[in-house]
Every structure is written in C-alpha cells, then in structure tokens.
Amino acid sequence: MLKVWQRNCIKIAEWFPLWIVTGCLWAWWQPEAWLWFQPYIAVGLGVIMLGMGLTLRLADFSAVLRMPKIVAIGIFMQFAIMPLAAYFWARVLDLEAGLAIGLILVGSCPGGTASNVICYLARANVALSVLLTLCSTLAAVVMTPLLTQWLAGAYLPIDGWGLFRSMLVVVLIPLLAGLLINTALDRIQQHKRHAVRAVVHAVGPVVSVIVIVLVVGSIMAGNKAAIGVAGPKLFASVFLLHATGFSLGYLVMKWLGYGKAESRTVSIEVGMQNSGLGAALAKTHFASMAMAPVPAAISAVFHCLIGSALAGVWGRRK
C-alpha cells in the first residue's frame, strides 16, 4: 500500500493545471517575486529530464516493439501537426517575428510530461501516453532544431546547430544519466532498491511540477509589459495552436480506425507541448527578442486548461 506522503505527492502532481494557473496569476501581480529564477531555467529543465530518466528502465524501450505502428503514428503527428499549425497561425495572424519564432519553437517541442496526468484523468491509455512522451522527447533532440530552423528560418537565420547542442545538454544527457542511475539500482539490495524508487516515483513528479511552474512564472514576470502589448494576437495564436493539436490528434486517430482510449491519448499527447523546454530554448537562443519566450509561458497555461477541460468531459464517460 502507498504511504500517506506518497499519496499526497501523487495528488499534488495531479493538480498540475491549478498550480500553473495560480503561478502565472501570482507572477502577473507580483513579478518581482519570480524574476530570481530566470538564470536557472535551463538547469531546471535538466532537473526535470533527469527525473524523467530516473523513472525509466531499459525494458521500457522494448514496449515500442510491441506497438510500433501507433507509436510511429503518434510521433509523426506530434512533429507534423504542431510545427505546421504554429507556422500557419503565425502567418494567418501576422505575428511579429519574436512571437512567431516563439510559437514555432513551442510547436516544434516534444509532448509535455503533464500529458500523462491528463491522460489518466481522461481515462485514456496512460501506458501509451508515457511511451509517446518518452519517444517524442528523444526524437526532439534532432527534430526540434531541424523544424525550428526550417519554419522559423522564414523570419530570421536560425542557429540549428546551437539548438541541437542545447537539446543534448538540457534533454538527452540528463535523460540518459537518469536512465543509467535507475539501471544501476538493479545492482543494490531489493528492499533498498524499492525504497529508492518509491521516493523517486512519488517526489519526482512534484519536483517537475514545481520547476515547470517556476520556469513559466519567471518568464511571465519578466515579460509582463510585452504580454500586455501583444494582447489578443498572442493569446489567440497560442489557443489556436493547441486547439488544432487536440482536435486533429483525435480526428486523425478516429479516421484511422482506433478506439476512444487511443484517440484520446494521441489527442492529448499532440495537443500538450513541453512548454518549459520551449521557454528555455527561446531564452537561450533568442535573448535579443523579448517576445520569443512569451508564447511558451502562455502555452503552458492554455494546454493545461484545454487538456483539463477534455479530461473533465472524457473522464465522466464510460
């Protein structure tokens, strides 16, 4: 049986959308309380990826071989629908360069870890959700720089190699380090191994939630004036990006003949992005463009709200 503190950690992580919205509202009204975290955004993302790696084992990768078709479809839609939708809405709404690049960067990021919680609440396929998040995160090491360079290059020259190096440092190395540590745990005594993994699986999601809220809140605080100026176009573009992802993800899966659980899972995985990663990359590589990190901050709020609304509807259905 789970201990009380473990159950409480799980409950705290499940309320992720509430913490994101609360953090952003707090950062909007008291920006000075959040600005301190801005220098640590990249480090924070590394911590999240390390935590994700600590929950993985080499056996998890064999699951891809048991369902290769649906995994391939999910990854393809992740890196086809969202980047192209971001470019499309940036053009339709005539976004200025900073916002357009930020939106494309968000669209080119992998699925967010919060999608796993939303899939659980929506009565979707949680195991498939975890697998898709893992695979899209690994694929993003190459796909995110390539897609950003291709699509955002219409606005200004993009350092694709620099983005790739950042993906290695922020995503791949911490992820592999966590995986190696978790694999090494197999060599210690069984009762100690179970105790360590119980702590990681309970505390890890809470740490991830805290770091993501700090990342998004600090960006919101640092760009309050710019957000006020951008106004309706900013909010409309981010909302339309995620609405497109959720809708097409579900509709394409139904069109391909998959059931409700799989369609809901891919819809959530496509619609919810790793906005924290988008924010970190924008802050690092487009520091001269004040608006570039802003779509990522707004994205974190919108995809959580849309995902939570869908989970509320789907979770009540049998």
Side-chain angles (χ1 to χ4, degrees):
M1 294 181 62
L2 287 176
K3 295 180 180 179
V4 174
W5 69 269
Q6 290 174 305
R7 289 199 299 269
N8 288 337
C9 285
I10 293 171
K11 289 293 184 184
I12 290 171
E14 287 177 353
W15 283 94
F16 175 74
L18 174 63
W19 308 137
I20 278 286
V21 173
T22 302
C24 286
L25 289 175
W26 184 0
W28 183 263
W29 292 111
Q30 289 186 307
E32 64 281 356
W34 292 78
L35 294 174
W36 65 272
F37 190 76
Q38 287 200 342
Y40 308 105
I41 289 176
V43 176
L45 264 294
V47 169
I48 292 174
M49 290 300 117
L50 177 65
M52 184 177 178
L54 287 170
T55 66
L56 299 175
R57 304 176 71 177
L58 291 174
D60 294 329
F61 292 91
S62 65
V64 179
L65 301 178
R66 295 195 294 271
M67 51 177 76
K69 184 177 179 182
I70 192 170
V71 170
I73 291 170
I75 301 304
F76 174 78
M77 285 202 284
Q78 174 73 61
F79 291 111
I81 291 174
M82 294 302 280
L84 293 174
Y87 180 81
F88 174 79
W89 290 118
R91 287 295 193 185
V92 169
L93 296 174
D94 193 27
L95 299 183
E96 57 103 345
L99 283 179
I101 290 170
L103 190 70
I104 291 169
L105 191 52
V106 169
S108 302
C109 281
T113 53
S115 62
N116 308 149
V117 176
I118 298 298
C119 280
Y120 168 74
L121 298 175
R123 294 188 181 183
N125 189 327
V126 178
L128 176 60
S129 173
V130 173
L131 192 57
L132 287 172
T133 301
L134 167 62
C135 292
S136 70
T137 300
L138 291 173
V141 174
V142 174
M143 295 304 297
T144 297
L146 284 178
L147 289 166
T148 304
Q149 186 174 32
W150 173 43
L151 296 172
Y155 292 89
L156 82 167
I158 304 295
D159 182 9
W161 179 242
L163 281 170
F164 177 70
R165 289 198 304 270
S166 291
M167 293 296 291
L168 289 178
V169 173
V170 175
V171 176
L172 188 61
I173 292 175
L175 194 67
L176 292 179
L179 174 62
L180 291 174
I181 293 170
N182 197 21
T183 302
L185 288 176
D186 289 331
R187 299 179 181 275
I188 68 176
Q189 295 178 0
Q190 186 177 20
H191 70 282
K192 292 181 180 179
R193 179 169 71 244
H194 289 332
V196 171
R197 283 186 172 142
V199 171
V200 169
H201 289 177
V203 176
V206 176
V207 173
S208 295
V209 167
I210 292 171
V211 173
I212 292 172
V213 172
L214 286 171
V215 168
V216 173
S218 65
I219 290 174
M220 181 77 75
N223 295 279
K224 179 178 177 178
I227 292 171
V229 171
K233 278 192 177 183
L234 167 63
F235 292 102
S237 63
V238 176
F239 174 80
L240 289 168
L241 168 64
H242 290 293
T244 302
F246 280 108
S247 302
L248 290 183
Y250 187 86
L251 293 172
V252 171
M253 290 298 287
K254 293 296 289 184
W255 178 68
L256 291 173
Y258 286 95
K260 288 183 179 179
E262 291 76 18
S263 299
R264 292 174 183 179
T265 303
V266 173
S267 168
I268 292 167
E269 282 297 318
V270 173
M272 299 188 71
Q273 299 295 89
N274 190 333
S275 302
L277 175 61
L281 294 175
K283 194 74 177 173
T284 302
H285 294 278
F286 305 104
S288 62
M289 308 186 80
M291 294 303 295
V294 174
I298 305 302
S299 164
V301 177
F302 276 11
H303 77 216
C304 282
L305 291 177
I306 298 173
S308 298
L310 288 174
V313 174
W314 286 336
R316 292 186 178 91
R317 298 177 180 176
K318 294 184 179 180

